[in-house]
Amino acid sequence: MSRARSLLANAALAVAALLAGALIIEGAARAWVHASLARARRQAPPLALSRYHEVLGWDKTPGAAQTVRRPEFDITLQFNSKGLRGPERDYAKPPGTRRVLILGDSFAEGYYVEEGQTMRAVLEDLLDREGCGRWEVINGGTIAYSTDQEYLFYKTEGHRYGAEAVMVLFYYNDLYYNASEVGPGGEPKPYFEVDEGALVARNSPVPAPAKGLLNRQEPGVPAPKPWHGSIALRLLSNRTVDASPRLHRLLARLGLVEPVSPAPPKEYWPFSRDHAREVNDMWERTHHILAALKADVEGHGARLAVLYVPVRFEVNDRVWELSRQRYRMGRRWDRDVVFERLRAVCDDLGIPLVDPRDELRRQEATGAPAYYTRDVHWTAFGNAVAAHLLEPLVRSWLPCRG
């Protein structure tokens, strides 16, 4: 009997120790989340970085500034009096100045690196080294824009800078959001339909976003939702879902993390042979939007080029394999198909297409990768790769006047 009592006592102590350890871990997780949310509230800027815009859906707030802290970077984001990132620039060009305008989403805006490390700043520095007149590169990029919004930005605002060269960045999810009435954050946005070969504007004027929801106009940091009542398990779930898909599936079977659907997000559909009707519609709209942007740019005496922005798995084999594991991608998935279809569109429209994939792949293989590990965006090295690829094209279009 004493032996049985001893075993029971040891078992009870083990259970108690496990419970105590779990409670300590859970308490630490909750304290960390509470401190993080409190710090985010204290650091909230007096001006929201974005504001509602009836034509574009949202744009950047002139004069707004904020420190952006993420696990992989800590930078200061500041917008000038016209709501653009970069130096203060008048619409009118100074005499003897050549200008380049960049259009795009967060890759163009560059909120994940310091201003001096953005593609805009690096490209301007490279061009100025020629010693033959002054160059100005204008950053017209805005987080979460798709090609339709970039086209509308050029029509309403971008053309006023009188740039002779316009570079529009294209990211794979532009396809999905070019056919969507809401952006990645759920805010209403403009979009176009194609009717008898012509673009027809929809959601214009754009309805204002609902009040009280966290979005770009009413920013905030949402508290993580507990998994099975536990914040610690939620943090574990968030950590393993991308970093180790196989481990995540094992833990999900044990009930320790939230199961995720193996179905890829709709934004990934263009990489697959499935959903052909929806994907072909995305491409048709995108084709007409790029054609309209080209016509508008050329109507203002400028030239247009497209810079392709690969998602990381297009240039990193390990990330491609992790993506295939997470979403169980089979043979019907092709990581090169988006670029190939974009190349066909650009060839048809006579728009130069800059392909940075080989250079980004080489950069990824170094100790200074082109992409962050947890964030989807380029590091300073990725921005530099893009700038160096654009420089010769810009110089060929706008040679030295001396």
Side-chain angles (χ1 to χ4, degrees):
M1 184 65 71
S2 61
R3 178 176 175 81
R5 287 176 179 171
S6 176
L7 289 173
L8 286 173
N10 288 336
L13 284 173
V15 170
L18 287 172
L19 288 174
L23 288 173
I24 291 172
I25 293 173
E26 180 66 21
R30 289 178 180 269
W32 181 82
V33 167
H34 178 77
S36 298
L37 292 173
R39 182 171 61 252
R41 286 191 291 269
R42 289 194 304 269
Q43 294 170 349
L47 290 175
L49 291 178
S50 296
R51 60 183 182 178
Y52 164 71
H53 194 290
E54 67 174 11
V55 175
L56 303 171
W58 58 90
D59 68 351
K60 301 185 291 297
T61 306
Q66 182 177 338
T67 297
V68 181
R69 290 188 173 91
R70 301 287 167 79
E72 296 175 293
F73 54 84
D74 185 338
I75 64 97
T76 299
L77 186 63
Q78 188 165 2
F79 303 138
N80 63 28
S81 65
K82 293 182 176 63
L84 301 185
R85 194 171 188 204
E88 197 69 42
R89 298 276 163 80
D90 291 331
Y91 291 124
K93 284 185 299 184
T97 299
R98 287 166 288 178
R99 267 189 181 170
V100 179
L101 173 66
I102 296 173
L103 304 176
D105 59 4
S106 49
F107 277 90
E109 183 183 286
Y111 75 82
Y112 44 85
V113 292
E114 293 291 357
E115 156 58 24
Q117 300 172 319
T118 62
M119 181 177 61
R120 182 217 72 77
V122 176
L123 178 59
E124 185 174 277
D125 180 65
L126 290 171
L127 293 169
D128 268 336
R129 292 178 188 179
E130 182 183 43
C132 183
R134 183 182 176 189
W135 289 85
E136 290 182 350
V137 180
I138 309 295
N139 188 346
T142 296
I143 184 172
Y145 270 13
S146 42
T147 321
D148 46 12
Q149 292 164 293
E150 293 151 16
Y151 163 53
L152 290 171
F153 171 81
Y154 184 79
K155 284 182 68 69
T156 58
E157 179 73 8
H159 72 90
R160 302 176 69 184
Y161 289 95
E164 297 100 325
V166 178
M167 307 292 166
V168 60
L169 276 59
F170 189 91
Y171 192 51
Y172 80 96
N173 68 359
D174 286 332
L175 290 161
Y176 178 81
Y177 290 105
N178 284 342
S180 175
E181 63 181 12
V182 297
E187 303 92 334
K189 62 174 284 290
Y191 67 100
F192 291 95
E193 292 180 344
V194 179
D195 185 8
E196 297 183 354
L199 284 177
V200 179
R202 303 297 187 199
N203 232 23
S204 182
V206 178
K211 294 292 183 183
L213 299 177
L214 294 180
N215 55 46
R216 270 171 271 279
Q217 288 78 51
E218 296 183 38
V221 179
K225 296 180 180 179
W227 173 245
H228 289 334
S230 169
I231 291 294
L233 292 182
R234 165 56 61 196
L235 297 180
L236 175 64
S237 183
N238 292 349
R239 180 64 175 171
T240 59
V241 66
D242 289 316
S244 183
R246 288 176 178 169
L247 174 60
H248 190 90
R249 286 198 292 271
L250 173 62
L251 295 175
R253 285 196 290 271
L254 298 174
L256 296 176
V257 297
E258 183 176 12
V260 295
S261 169
K266 293 180 180 179
E267 291 93 328
Y268 279 6
W269 284 1
F271 289 104
S272 169
R273 297 178 193 170
D274 300 323
H275 310 287
R277 181 179 61 83
E278 293 90 343
V279 171
N280 287 336
D281 176 62
M282 297 174 196
W283 277 111
E284 182 182 22
R285 298 186 200 216
T286 299
H287 186 287
H288 281 82
I289 293 167
L290 286 173
L293 176 59
K294 182 190 181 199
D296 217 81
V297 167
E298 292 180 347
H300 287 94
R303 301 176 72 172
L304 175 69
V306 174
L307 171 66
Y308 185 64
V309 180
V311 65
R312 194 182 188 195
F313 64 58
E314 293 178 74
V315 296
N316 185 306
D317 294 339
R318 179 177 175 275
V319 176
W320 174 236
E321 183 56 33
L322 286 172
S323 300
R324 288 171 59 85
Q325 289 176 20
R326 177 178 178 182
Y327 298 117
R328 301 179 186 179
M329 295 175 174
R331 295 181 179 179
R332 297 182 64 81
W333 291 83
D334 181 353
R335 61 175 168 173
D336 297 318
V337 69
V338 171
F339 175 81
E340 294 302 330
R341 290 194 68 167
L342 178 64
R343 178 160 59 185
V345 168
C346 289
D347 286 348
D348 182 63
L349 296 175
I351 301 175
L353 174 62
V354 179
D355 178 9
R357 291 176 301 165
D358 288 345
E359 287 76 8
L360 289 171
R361 180 180 288 275
R362 282 192 284 270
Q363 189 67 46
E364 281 285 278
T366 71
Y371 292 77
Y372 291 110
T373 300
R374 297 175 64 179
D375 189 274
V376 302
H377 294 96
W378 285 332
T379 63
F381 302 104
N383 278 266
V385 166
H388 279 83
L389 286 170
L390 288 178
E391 180 198 8
L393 175 62
V394 173
R395 288 196 187 282
S396 70
W397 282 358
L398 303 172
C400 182
R401 296 169 180 167

